[in-house]
Amino acid sequence: MRPTYQEYKTRRILNVHKHVDGWFFDKYSAHPYIGCAFGCEFCYSRGAKYLRGRDHDDFDRVIRVKVNAAERLRRELARKPVDVIACGDWQVPAERDYRLSRQMLQVVRDLGFPLFIVERSPLLTRDLDLLTDINRQTWAGVAYSISTLDPAVKRAFEPRSPSVKTRLAAMAQLAEAGILVGTALMPVLPSICDDDAHLEEVIIATKDHGGRFILASGLTMSGPQAERVWHAVDRSFPQARPAYERLYASDAYAPPRRYSADLGRRVRALCERHGLADRMPRWIEPGLLGINRRVAEHLFRKVHDLELEEAHEQRLWAYRRAAWTVDELATSIEELYNTQGIEGLMTLPGVGQRIARLIAGWLKE
């Protein structure tokens, strides 16, 4: 059933994140549509905090269209420092009808910003000319969202999303054009497709289609989205219900850390077996501050390592805060180290002796 559209002019489109994360490294984000016709049952955007009072049943039936998206993006982005922006939404039929994501890519290209896209739609290849231009000027990275290659799982949880075969074909086309591409293996559905056989199938397909990385994450559940997931599990995979009751006891938003760490360790081992990374390489800006981004990337990777080791939360936050400190430093950390050594690094907020020594080692490489 074709969704209906509600057109409106937005007063603001650009989201500016306080800090980058260690997954996608985007500082900004901007999207032209609210709601999605694909209507995947597990989509986190069905969660109550994203609906903002809208009827959750309208999520995939009524698509709100920001008809002035490109105009607003040009005005707002022009006043911001250059950094990675997550941009666009290639859902069908909205983007095929309105072409707003293509217009937004033109803005990103014209203003010289690096770009990151996470997407389920092969329609993205329509704009390969703009993606190539952006990649030539600065940088472009794409993660195709694929939860499984199992057709039974797809029918149960995302029956209206584009076929995985067409997503992989699009991935290969982007890779052939020289664009960094990989798979957002999200969400991994517990007790349904989180075994090594399902995971490895996606990893091999990613490699075979030019992908260079895998970003894996388990399922989160909240509000109406959780209700839909429970319904899909009971309808198609009732044998998995006991596992879900255990992992999401007391309406937990996410599985326990132990589960997530085990999943991450297994994905890392499978990626190493097939020559892929389990983190996405980030864009590094040219100039003196580029080294700050690189050191921060190392620190974010250390956070992920500690997560897989099930380290104490205090240690995770120590490295995460240090990563933000270095990433947002207005002067060169390399110059600071060259002039003041380890002691100079320890003057930075959140950088103690252990982290300072790690940073020093990376700077010497």
Side-chain angles (χ1 to χ4, degrees):
M1 179 175 167
R2 188 181 178 91
T4 59
Y5 298 135
Q6 289 182 350
E7 299 180 358
Y8 74 107
K9 289 189 175 182
T10 184
R11 296 175 61 183
R12 184 177 66 86
I13 194 167
L14 188 66
N15 303 303
V16 181
H17 310 308
K18 184 176 181 180
H19 307 294
V20 302
D21 62 25
W23 289 82
F24 304 140
F25 298 106
D26 55 306
K27 179 65 175 177
Y28 312 112
S29 61
H31 303 286
Y33 311 111
I34 299 177
C36 179
F38 295 158
C40 303
E41 304 294 349
F42 48 53
C43 181
Y44 69 87
S45 293
R46 288 186 183 274
K49 71 176 181 178
Y50 298 101
L51 294 175
R52 299 179 181 178
R54 297 179 68 209
D55 184 341
H56 63 85
D57 287 331
D58 284 344
F59 175 78
D60 52 354
R61 299 187 311 198
V62 180
I63 310 301
R64 301 199 70 203
V65 180
K66 305 171 188 178
V67 292
N68 62 335
E71 173 190 336
R72 289 302 316 170
L73 182 64
R74 186 176 296 275
R75 181 174 300 180
E76 295 172 34
L77 202 59
R79 299 193 294 262
K80 299 298 181 184
V82 172
D83 211 327
V84 176
I85 179 170
C87 189
D89 180 353
W90 280 262
Q91 62 175 287
V92 177
E95 175 58 21
R96 192 169 55 201
D97 292 345
Y98 285 94
R99 298 173 69 85
L100 292 175
S101 293
R102 180 171 178 84
Q103 294 172 34
M104 293 170 77
L105 289 192
Q106 291 170 331
V107 173
V108 172
R109 179 198 60 189
D110 293 348
L111 297 180
F113 277 69
L115 172 74
F116 172 72
I117 295 168
V118 59
E119 189 52 62
R120 261 181 155 75
S121 173
L123 181 61
L124 178 62
T125 58
R126 177 203 64 186
D127 300 325
L128 188 56
D129 58 332
L130 291 172
L131 293 171
T132 303
D133 286 347
I134 293 168
N135 195 45
R136 187 182 303 114
Q137 290 178 196
T138 50
W139 179 88
V142 175
Y144 257 99
S145 184
I146 299 172
S147 294
T148 180
L149 269 60
D150 189 327
V153 178
K154 184 183 182 305
R155 283 194 301 272
F157 289 92
E158 46 173 320
R160 283 176 286 156
S161 71
S163 74
V164 177
K165 182 178 180 180
T166 61
R167 290 180 230 174
L168 289 169
M171 181 186 295
Q173 192 173 346
L174 294 170
E176 180 67 23
I179 293 169
L180 173 70
V181 67
T183 291
L185 184 51
M186 305 175 186
V188 177
L189 299 169
S191 196
I192 294 175
C193 55
D194 63 348
D195 57 282
D196 284 3
H198 277 93
L199 298 173
E200 188 167 27
E201 189 176 33
V202 175
I203 290 168
I204 291 173
T206 299
K207 181 177 182 179
D208 289 347
H209 291 82
R212 291 167 50 190
F213 64 88
I214 297 286
L215 294 175
S217 180
L219 174 72
T220 57
M221 296 211 294
S222 174
Q225 172 231 13
E227 294 174 12
R228 286 179 173 271
V229 170
W230 281 115
H231 181 71
V233 169
D234 289 341
R235 181 183 62 237
S236 301
F237 299 95
Q239 71 280 6
R241 173 170 263 276
Y244 279 70
E245 291 175 342
R246 183 178 68 256
L247 292 172
Y248 299 93
S250 303
D251 296 323
Y253 176 69
R257 290 181 65 208
R258 177 164 295 181
Y259 171 88
S260 299
D262 174 72
L263 174 64
R265 288 191 295 264
R266 290 188 290 116
V267 168
R268 172 169 287 184
L270 291 168
C271 284
E272 289 175 349
R273 180 184 301 173
H274 296 286
L276 298 185
D278 68 335
R279 298 284 90 186
M280 185 183 80
R282 77 177 300 187
W283 170 74
I284 302 297
E285 68 181 77
L288 291 176
L289 297 185
I291 189 64
N292 296 10
R293 303 297 181 98
R294 183 64 72 201
V295 169
E297 182 180 16
H298 283 302
L299 288 167
F300 281 121
R301 289 178 185 274
K302 181 65 175 176
V303 172
H304 185 57
D305 292 342
L306 291 172
E307 287 173 335
L308 301 193
E309 296 168 15
E310 301 179 56
H312 195 280
E313 280 287 344
Q314 280 187 319
R315 289 191 68 198
L316 297 178
W317 275 105
Y319 282 91
R320 192 175 288 120
R321 291 190 186 100
W324 289 335
T325 292
V326 175
D327 203 58
E328 295 156 17
L329 192 62
T331 56
S332 169
I333 193 171
E334 186 172 39
E335 183 177 338
L336 176 65
Y337 175 67
N338 288 340
T339 56
Q340 300 183 41
I342 294 287
E343 293 75 15
L345 297 178
M346 291 172 61
T347 65
L348 298 174
V351 177
Q353 187 176 68
R354 176 182 294 183
I355 294 177
R357 291 190 181 280
L358 271 178
I359 292 173
W362 294 324
L363 290 172
K364 292 174 183 177
E365 290 178 354

